[in-house]
Structure formats: structure tokens, C-alpha cells
Amino acid sequence: MTLRESSSTADSTPKSGATGGESPVADETEVLDETAPAEQEPIAEVQMDELADDARDLFQEIISHLDVDAAVGIKAIDDRDIHLDADGDETGGGILIGRRGQTLEAIQLLIATIVGRKTDRRVRVFLDAFGYRERRAESLRQMALEVAEQVRSAGQEALTEPLSPAERRIIHTALVDVEGVATYSEGEEPNRYVVITPSDEGEEPNPESEA
């Protein structure tokens, strides 16, 4: 976490990299769905089941090539989202997950791309392994609250490390109702990060938006 002098908290002009007129949560949601149409007809249940099976088989094949002892299950399927979870011997979990989840993110993108070519609709694939996602989310939420307290005390902005859109969204959501601080994103992908900045106590918090 990096600290820097805060710009004027009275200035409501959106900072560089922020989304003017939108909440940071909506900004990150848009990044996650940037190639998706605003509205999309649900994919037929039978086709989604087939796509989920294909995604699971791909994930299982990649895990086998990595010599990780884990079985892949389909955790959930909805209109256009497929959630897969790998569980088993955590000995090789670090290889599968990678530093800060980077390997898992890369595999997720690869599988989503391959599966997406089998339909003309937007399909999203979400991978987890050995409960990593929830542990990471809880760690980010705790870090956000601790840093927010430091920002209020020191009157200085704090910058996170580069985070994925989903991780940035966790930070924004964790602090959306915390008085005395505001958040916005800055930088370009894949080095985009969150800025936690002091705000006026009377300032309305950014509303959470589920775009």
C-alpha cells in the first residue's frame, strides 16, 4: 500500500481514471462486462449445461497437465454464468492458483474464450480452486477497512497494488458506506488500482450499483 498527499477533498471533479457520474462499483462491473450487450436473452438451459460440461472438462484437463490432484465440479449455472470449483489435495494448489491468483485468472480467460466460441451469446466462466476466491475476498475486505482507518487518520490517499476488476470491486463495495473515505480507480489495465482518499464527513457515499 502506497500513501500520497491527498488532493482537495472539497473538489468533486472525477479524478483521472475515475468514471464521472457513476459509482466505482458500477465502473468495475462495466469492466467485467465490457463485451456484453446491455441486455441479452438467456441461453437455453440445455445449451448452458453442455457449455458447463465443456468448461469443466477443459479445466480438469488443464489441472491434469499441471499434475495437480484435484477434481472439478460445476458449482452453479445461470443464464450466462458458469461457476466451476476445483477441490482436492492442496499440495499443488499454488501452481494452479499462482501469485495473487494470476494463473487461475489466465486459465479462466482461456476457458471462457474457448467455450464462448461455441455460442453467439456472451458466456462468463468463473473458476475457483481450494476456496481461494473467498479467502482472497475476505483478505481484501479486511485490508480495505484497515487502510480506510489509516487514510482518515493521516489525511493521505492510499493506493492499492494493481488489482483485477473483480478485486477492485470488492474494495469499492467494502468501503461504499464507510464515512470519511471515498474510492475510485486509476490507471490502465492490467495495472489499474484503487485509490482510497479522505472525503468530507458530510459527503454522500457513492451508491452501490449492480449494472
Side-chain angles (χ1 to χ4, degrees):
M1 184 68 61
T2 303
L3 292 176
R4 73 179 181 190
E5 290 296 330
S6 173
S7 55
S8 173
T9 55
D11 181 8
S12 60
T13 304
K15 279 75 169 179
S16 173
T19 303
E22 296 183 3
S23 76
V25 179
D27 181 25
E28 306 309 352
T29 306
E30 180 61 27
V31 172
L32 285 170
D33 294 336
E34 60 188 0
T35 61
E39 293 185 5
Q40 174 178 286
E41 289 295 322
I43 300 174
E45 183 177 346
V46 173
Q47 186 181 11
M48 280 299 295
D49 288 343
E50 293 175 350
L51 293 173
D53 286 341
D54 290 342
R56 179 193 58 201
D57 292 345
L58 282 169
F59 194 18
Q60 188 68 67
E61 182 178 356
I62 291 171
I63 286 174
S64 297
H65 282 297
L66 292 173
D67 290 327
V68 175
D69 183 12
V72 178
I74 299 173
K75 190 173 183 180
I77 307 173
D78 60 24
D79 292 341
R80 63 189 179 99
D81 294 347
I82 299 169
H83 296 261
L84 304 177
D85 185 41
D87 198 11
D89 183 358
E90 295 190 30
T91 303
I95 297 174
L96 178 58
I97 295 169
R99 182 177 182 274
R100 303 261 166 81
Q102 291 176 345
T103 302
L104 194 62
E105 290 284 349
I107 296 172
Q108 179 173 285
L109 177 59
L110 174 63
I111 293 176
T113 300
I114 294 173
V115 171
R117 289 174 178 168
K118 300 183 179 184
T119 178
D120 59 355
R121 306 283 179 82
R122 167 72 164 167
V123 178
R124 299 192 304 183
V125 177
F126 299 93
L127 305 183
D128 196 5
F130 310 110
Y132 167 77
R133 297 289 189 191
E134 183 51 41
R135 292 197 306 273
R136 174 67 170 160
E138 182 57 33
S139 175
L140 287 171
R141 284 190 288 265
Q142 186 62 38
M143 180 271 292
L145 293 172
E146 291 174 357
V147 172
E149 183 60 35
Q150 295 173 13
V151 166
R152 286 191 297 189
S153 299
Q156 290 183 299
E157 294 181 337
L159 283 58
T160 70
E161 63 189 1
L163 300 171
S164 70
E167 290 176 330
R168 295 195 302 270
R169 190 170 187 271
I170 290 169
I171 301 293
H172 294 312
T173 303
L175 299 182
V176 71
D177 291 324
V178 175
E179 294 184 355
V181 298
T183 64
Y184 61 93
S185 293
E186 203 172 60
E188 300 295 330
E189 300 290 359
N191 297 314
R192 196 163 167 81
Y193 53 89
V194 175
V195 179
I196 302 172
T197 185
S199 68
D200 293 335
E201 291 293 339
E203 184 178 333
E204 289 294 323
N206 288 310
E208 182 175 352
S209 173
E210 298 291 347

Coordinates of all heavy atoms in Angstrom, one line a residue, residues 4-9 15 151 155-157 197-199:
R4 N 0.0 8.8 -0.5 CA 0.4 10.0 -1.2 C -0.5 11.2 -0.7 O -1.5 10.9 -0.1 CB 0.2 9.9 -2.7 CG -1.2 9.9 -3.2 CD -1.2 9.7 -4.8 NE -2.6 9.7 -5.2 CZ -3.0 9.4 -6.5 NH1 -2.0 9.1 -7.4 NH2 -4.2 9.5 -6.9
E5 N 0.0 12.4 -0.9 CA -0.7 13.5 -0.4 C -2.1 13.6 -1.1 O -2.2 13.4 -2.3 CB 0.0 14.8 -0.7 CG 1.3 15.0 0.1 CD 1.0 15.2 1.6 OE1 -0.1 15.7 1.9 OE2 1.8 14.8 2.4
S6 N -3.1 13.8 -0.3 CA -4.5 13.9 -0.9 C -4.7 15.2 -1.6 O -4.3 16.2 -1.2 CB -5.5 13.7 0.2 OG -6.8 13.9 -0.3
S7 N -5.4 15.1 -2.8 CA -5.9 16.3 -3.4 C -7.1 16.8 -2.6 O -7.6 16.2 -1.7 CB -6.3 15.9 -4.9 OG -7.3 14.9 -4.8
S8 N -7.5 18.0 -3.0 CA -8.6 18.6 -2.2 C -9.8 17.8 -2.1 O -10.4 17.4 -3.1 CB -8.9 20.0 -2.8 OG -10.1 20.5 -2.1
T9 N -10.2 17.4 -0.9 CA -11.4 16.6 -0.8 C -12.7 17.4 -1.1 O -13.7 16.8 -1.3 CB -11.5 16.1 0.7 OG1 -11.5 17.2 1.6 CG2 -10.4 15.1 1.0
K15 N -11.5 12.2 -10.5 CA -10.1 12.1 -10.7 C -9.8 11.3 -12.0 O -10.6 10.7 -12.6 CB -9.4 11.3 -9.6 CG -9.2 12.1 -8.3 CD -10.4 12.4 -7.5 CE -10.2 12.9 -6.1 NZ -11.4 13.2 -5.4
V151 N -6.2 6.1 6.3 CA -6.4 7.3 5.5 C -7.2 8.4 6.2 O -6.8 9.6 6.1 CB -7.3 6.9 4.2 CG1 -7.8 8.1 3.5 CG2 -6.4 6.0 3.3
G155 N -5.0 11.6 6.7 CA -5.4 12.6 5.8 C -4.7 12.4 4.4 O -4.5 13.4 3.7
Q156 N -4.1 11.3 4.2 CA -3.4 11.0 2.9 C -4.1 9.9 2.1 O -4.8 9.0 2.7 CB -2.0 10.6 3.2 CG -1.1 11.7 3.7 CD 0.3 11.2 3.8 OE1 0.6 10.2 4.6 NE2 1.3 11.8 3.1
E157 N -4.1 10.0 0.8 CA -4.6 8.9 0.0 C -3.7 7.7 0.1 O -2.5 7.7 0.3 CB -4.7 9.4 -1.5 CG -5.6 10.5 -1.7 CD -5.7 10.9 -3.2 OE1 -4.7 10.6 -3.9 OE2 -6.7 11.5 -3.6
T197 N -9.3 7.6 -0.6 CA -9.0 9.0 -0.4 C -9.9 9.6 0.7 O -11.0 9.1 0.9 CB -9.2 9.8 -1.7 OG1 -8.7 11.2 -1.4 CG2 -10.6 9.8 -2.1
P198 N -9.4 10.5 1.5 CA -10.2 11.2 2.5 C -11.4 11.9 1.8 O -11.2 12.4 0.7 CB -9.3 12.2 3.2 CG -7.9 11.7 2.9 CD -8.0 11.1 1.5
S199 N -12.5 12.0 2.5 CA -13.6 12.7 2.0 C -14.3 13.5 3.1 O -14.1 13.2 4.3 CB -14.7 11.8 1.3 OG -15.3 10.9 2.3

